[in-house]
Amino acid sequence: MTKEGLVEGVMKTAGIEVTAQAHRAVEAVFDTITKTLSRGEDVTVTGFGTFRVVKRTAREGRNP
């Protein structure tokens, strides 16, 4: 599913008739999640999942 598909789904589910309003709603959700993660906080959406930033140590990749 693409972002546009998600916007269409939000329109149908929420009963929003204007595409621009649904697009702004989806963008607002993504922006809020991004800003919260950038502050180092976790985002938990009950019934969906948890988003968190994890620092990993560098490792040497290999080119097969």
Side-chain angles (χ1 to χ4, degrees), residues 4-53:
E4 292 306 316
L6 185 59
V7 169
E8 290 176 18
V10 168
M11 285 179 64
K12 290 178 186 174
T13 303
I16 299 173
E17 295 180 9
V18 180
T19 305
Q21 289 177 340
H23 188 53
R24 282 194 301 269
V26 170
E27 285 296 324
V29 170
F30 287 151
D31 288 344
T32 303
I33 291 172
T34 303
K35 288 176 185 175
T36 303
L37 291 173
S38 69
R39 290 192 306 259
E41 301 175 31
D42 292 349
V43 176
T44 302
V45 180
T46 304
F48 182 73
T50 301
F51 301 92
R52 69 175 55 115
V53 177

